[in-house]
Amino acid sequence: AKVVSGDFKLTGANTEYVLTSFAVVPAGGATVALNITAPFMYEDERMLAVYLYRDLEWPRFLKAELCTQKFRVSKQRQPITFDYIDNQWKTNPLHMLIVNNPTTETDPSHRAHFWYIVVADCLLEQGNRDSKVPPLHFELEIRNQLNAVPGKEPIYTHFSADELWLYRYHGCTLLVSGAVTVWLITKIQRQVMKSNGSQPSNNSLH
């Protein structure tokens, strides 16, 4: 899986933080697992959440001035809550599913889409609470599902859709390397057998 980690702090001036972007395969999906930890309690979590944006809606996110305007164009939203576990403030693992299905006739399913994962707290726009907001550390794991066929075991990869040529390249490299190895082993075995067959036996020397 693709694993991304880092640190950030939300403030009244920066109410959202982009964790990463990921290209999802056409007519497929991807799984997202997110864990966040904090050194002290996040006092007001009412509007703290993780949002998923598709590339079609992303320009509207960038143009919006207010945090509340930005989250309205998201495709998914999941609230973030912290619990005090093992002497640390942390979230329970957040799991989200990205489905890359077409929504309109102008959005064909054969095209891969970039998805953007954002953490935001729009409540920070409403007052000066920066000192009460802890710095956050996140660990994010994303997996692309290559096959979306009902009844079949899903195949996952950590490659983004724009990197799938690497997946295929590595597969071809393994096949070629395996074939070359088999050829070399066979050639060595034949040379050994030929060498043994050409040596005179002990009886022929007497």
Side-chain angles (χ1 to χ4, degrees):
K2 177 180 179 179
V3 178
V4 182
S5 62
D7 301 279
F8 66 98
K9 179 178 171 61
L10 300 177
T11 65
N14 297 287
T15 55
E16 64 278 335
Y17 182 82
V18 181
L19 302 183
T20 192
S21 61
F22 192 76
V24 178
V25 294
T31 60
V32 178
L34 175 63
N35 291 281
I36 302 177
T37 58
F40 56 88
M41 183 176 66
Y42 203 107
E43 292 188 6
D44 196 337
E45 307 162 335
R46 284 178 295 167
M47 298 189 70
L48 180 64
V50 56
Y51 299 89
L52 299 183
Y53 296 86
R54 196 173 49 167
D55 52 11
L56 295 178
E57 292 79 29
W58 189 244
R60 295 167 61 190
F61 171 92
L62 297 176
K63 291 179 181 179
E65 295 183 359
L66 299 178
C67 178
T68 51
Q69 296 172 334
K70 293 179 179 181
F71 83 71
R72 288 173 187 158
V73 299
S74 67
K75 302 297 291 184
Q76 288 190 51
R77 177 186 183 273
Q78 185 164 330
I80 296 174
T81 57
F82 287 89
D83 291 316
Y84 194 67
I85 305 172
D86 298 329
N87 298 318
Q88 188 179 34
W89 289 98
K90 62 175 65 175
T91 60
N92 291 315
L94 298 168
H95 296 283
M96 305 181 78
L97 178 64
I98 297 175
V99 179
N100 207 23
N101 288 335
T103 55
T104 65
E105 294 182 358
T106 59
D107 176 25
S109 61
H110 62 261
R111 183 172 83 80
H113 289 282
F114 268 94
W115 288 75
Y116 299 83
I117 303 174
V118 180
V119 170
D121 184 356
C122 295
L123 195 63
L124 294 175
E125 288 182 332
Q126 302 177 12
N128 186 9
R129 298 174 46 247
D130 293 359
S131 62
K132 298 181 179 180
V133 178
L136 303 177
H137 174 79
F138 75 94
E139 293 183 357
L140 176 68
E141 180 181 291
I142 312 174
R143 298 190 302 169
N144 239 328
Q145 183 177 335
L146 295 183
N147 63 329
V149 181
K152 288 191 175 182
E153 189 71 20
I155 300 174
Y156 294 100
T157 176
H158 66 278
F159 288 109
S160 181
D162 59 326
E163 301 172 331
L164 281 180
W165 67 272
L166 291 172
Y167 177 82
R168 299 185 180 95
Y169 172 79
H170 289 310
C172 293
T173 301
L174 289 175
L175 289 175
V176 173
S177 299
V180 171
T181 301
V182 171
W183 178 78
L184 288 174
I185 292 174
T186 303
K187 184 177 181 179
I188 292 172
Q189 287 177 338
R190 288 177 178 175
Q191 289 178 343
V192 171
M193 292 175 62
K194 184 177 180 181
S195 176
N196 290 338
S198 63
Q199 291 180 358
S201 63
N202 293 333
N203 293 333
S204 66
L205 298 177
H206 298 288

